């Protein structure tokens, strides 16, 4: 991100200003020194202005922001409530998120029409080499299991995922919901000939690159109508060459399903 970029975060409640950088600075100074008078000096605002800001915040805050300390070395002071401390933590998190969100603007390969796709580039990172974006096209339940069919972008055949019913409820899965699929490279099975005993998650793919790592080979493939990239690891000595047509199979139970 350019060094001269500045993103100022403002939060409103009841259509009134709740916090902005100036008020957050004031709260942080109170947390640091335990005195509104000293906090005002540190934040470079007048004592009256500090009180006005605090009064305006408290008037619309769902919970109190300040509490008085009784006694102590200097005869008492002002401290932040737990709610105010959490507000500061949340504000810091939102600032970090804003900065990272703006940073993805520089990468034109990242589409901005999907909040799940965009946030996946600056949220938790996964060791799973394969990550696919799609929408839920079918949900079915059997005993304690939930079978989910995901329509990947540019792929006619859905990809099936098997999770527990409790996981489906926790993820609040519904038809049409956007989800991210994560599949580790060892979970992608390769076949030179179409296996007869597989009915789902079987895709024709083209070998695009092979990296020999000694006992294993890392195979990069494109599959489906959209030529989605996919990574697999091959431990057998079966010969596979560039541009070979192979079949890939993904076990429905070996797919990690994530969503917002």
């Amino acid at each position: 991100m350019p060094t001269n970029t500045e993103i100022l975060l403002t939060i409103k409640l009841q259509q009134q200003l709740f916090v902005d950088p100036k008020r957050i600075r004031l709260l942080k100074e109170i947390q640091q020194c335990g005195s509104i008078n000293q906090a005002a000096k540190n934040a470079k605002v007048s004592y009256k202005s500090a009180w006005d800001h605090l009064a305006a915040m408290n008037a619309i805050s769902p919970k109190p922001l300040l509490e008085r300390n009784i006694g102590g070395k200097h005869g008492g002071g002002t401290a932040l409530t737990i709610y105010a401390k959490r507000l500061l933590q949340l504000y810091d998190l939102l600032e970090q998120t804003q900065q990272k969100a703006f940073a993805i603007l520089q990468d034109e390969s990242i589409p901005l029409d999907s909040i799940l796709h965009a946030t996946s580039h600056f949220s938790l990172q996964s060791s799973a080499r394969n990550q696919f974006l799609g929408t839920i096209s079918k949900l079915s339940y059997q005993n304690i299991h939930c079978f989910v069919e995901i329509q990947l972008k540019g792929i006619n055949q859905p990809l099936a995922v098997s999770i527990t019913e409790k996981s489906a409820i926790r993820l609040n899965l519904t038809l049409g919901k956007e989800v991210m699929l994560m599949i580790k490279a060892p979970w992608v099975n390769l076949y030179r000939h179409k296996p007869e005993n597989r009915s789902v998650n079987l895709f024709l793919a083209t070998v695009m690159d092979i990296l020999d790592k000694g006992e294993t080979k890392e195979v990069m493939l494109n599959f489906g109508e959209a030529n989605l990239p996919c990574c697999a690891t091959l431990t057998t000595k079966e010969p596979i060459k560039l541009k070979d047509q192979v079949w890939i199979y993904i076990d429905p139970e070996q797919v990690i399903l994530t969503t917002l």
Side-chain angles (χ1 to χ4, degrees):
M1 177 183 292
T3 55
N4 60 346
T5 299
E6 185 179 19
I7 301 176
L8 302 179
L9 175 62
T10 297
I11 300 176
K12 288 187 175 183
L13 292 179
Q14 304 172 27
Q15 298 183 331
Q16 298 180 62
L17 176 63
F18 181 42
V19 292
D20 62 3
K22 182 180 293 185
R23 291 181 174 181
I24 288 295
R25 168 75 185 281
L26 181 60
L27 289 177
K28 287 184 176 180
E29 292 294 346
I30 293 173
Q31 183 181 33
Q32 183 71 25
C33 66
S35 163
I36 296 177
N37 185 32
Q38 187 60 48
K41 293 178 181 178
N42 294 347
K44 294 180 171 55
V45 297
S46 68
Y47 185 72
K48 181 181 183 305
S49 179
W51 264 112
D52 288 344
H53 281 303
L54 294 171
M57 295 169 66
N58 272 309
I60 59 175
S61 177
K63 295 182 179 181
L65 298 172
L66 304 175
E67 58 186 11
R68 297 291 297 177
N69 280 337
I70 306 299
K73 183 177 180 180
H74 301 290
T78 303
L80 299 188
T81 63
I82 294 177
Y83 179 79
K85 292 176 182 178
R86 286 176 57 81
L87 175 62
L88 292 182
Q89 291 176 319
L90 175 64
Y91 193 90
D92 286 342
L93 287 175
L94 290 174
E95 280 193 319
Q96 293 174 41
T97 301
Q98 281 193 136
Q99 295 291 337
K100 291 184 177 181
F102 187 80
I104 69 173
L105 177 64
Q106 318 305 321
D107 188 346
E108 296 184 359
S109 68
I110 302 175
L112 296 179
D113 58 350
S114 164
I115 184 173
L116 180 59
H117 196 172
T119 54
S120 69
H121 288 268
F122 61 81
S123 57
L124 287 175
Q125 299 301 303
S126 167
S127 62
R129 292 289 303 275
N130 303 300
Q131 300 184 17
F132 305 115
L133 190 70
T135 55
I136 298 176
S137 58
K138 185 178 180 180
L139 287 167
S140 58
Y141 295 87
Q142 182 178 349
N143 297 325
I144 62 171
H145 296 284
C146 176
F147 299 94
V148 190
E149 289 190 4
I150 312 296
Q151 199 66 53
L152 304 182
K153 289 188 176 182
I155 304 294
N156 292 332
Q157 177 186 341
L159 195 149
V161 180
S162 175
I163 60 176
T164 64
E165 182 180 6
K166 287 186 177 180
S167 293
I169 295 173
R170 179 172 54 83
L171 294 172
N172 192 26
L173 299 186
T174 56
L175 293 178
K177 186 168 188 175
E178 194 172 44
V179 293
M180 179 76 73
L181 308 179
M182 297 183 180
I183 306 164
K184 299 185 71 170
W187 298 348
V188 179
N189 300 280
L190 298 185
Y191 299 90
R192 290 186 59 81
H193 304 286
K194 186 176 182 179
E196 299 298 329
N197 60 340
R198 304 298 187 192
S199 58
V200 297
N201 294 354
L202 191 62
F203 302 91
L204 187 62
T206 303
V207 177
M208 305 303 296
D209 193 19
I210 303 173
L211 179 61
D212 196 333
K213 293 189 172 183
E215 295 183 358
T216 62
K217 293 180 180 179
E218 186 177 272
V219 184
M220 298 302 301
L221 310 112
N222 283 351
F223 75 98
E225 297 79 9
N227 288 321
L228 289 182
C230 178
C231 178
T233 53
L234 189 64
T235 56
T236 66
K237 295 183 179 181
E238 186 174 1
I240 287 184
K241 305 185 300 295
L242 290 178
K243 301 303 180 182
D244 274 357
Q245 295 284 299
V246 297
W247 291 91
I248 62 174
Y249 168 72
I250 301 166
D251 189 328
E253 294 187 353
Q254 290 187 309
V255 179
I256 300 172
L257 188 61
T258 65
T259 188
L260 294 177

